[in-house]
Amino acid sequence: MTFATADLCDAHEDRLAAGTLRVLDPVFRWFGRAPCFSGPALTLKVFEDNSLVRATLETPGEGRVLVVDGGGSLRCALVGGNLGQFAQNNGWAGVVVNGCVRDSLELNALDVGIAALATHPQRSLRRGIGERDVPVRMPGATVRTGDWIYADIDGVLVADAPLAV
């Protein structure tokens, strides 16, 4: 399925006005070869620890979008080439990271979409700390597990329910 977030915003202005469709702040960089991705969100809240990110991406994605609130940290990467490979191979539609990624050349060779704040060469700590399926505060909007994510190079949308595309 292909779509453009700009077209979705135009077609659903009523939902934007009602707040049932929200636009994340335009702070994300795009990685991967997928021109767009969408699916129901699964949320994680972590800080400079990607243990839960890895454990989640190692499971079947079933077309979902992993939304990772990394607290906006720019001090290490939460997703790299290996985790991007897990996302692609395990059927995740995409990943949105409020934090950094690394191995950008490897990520850009994958058939998955990843949106993140920046790149950082240092890997995260691995303490096994984090929360799953909790509301996460991403730049511009709160995302809950089960919300629908629509993302492309122009932006990331969060909808309370699936949109007609």
Side-chain angles (χ1 to χ4, degrees), residues 100-154:
C100 295
V101 297
R102 69 185 203 160
D103 304 322
S104 59
L105 292 177
E106 292 175 40
L107 294 177
N108 286 334
L110 298 173
D111 290 320
V112 67
I114 299 170
L117 299 180
T119 58
H120 197 292
Q122 183 178 338
R123 69 180 178 189
S124 75
L125 300 173
R126 294 186 181 122
R127 298 180 307 250
I129 299 171
E131 298 176 90
R132 179 180 165 145
D133 295 325
V134 296
V136 294
R137 180 78 181 132
M138 299 297 279
T142 297
V143 180
R144 291 169 179 79
T145 291
D147 284 345
W148 277 74
I149 305 297
Y150 297 86
D152 67 10
I153 192 108
D154 287 337

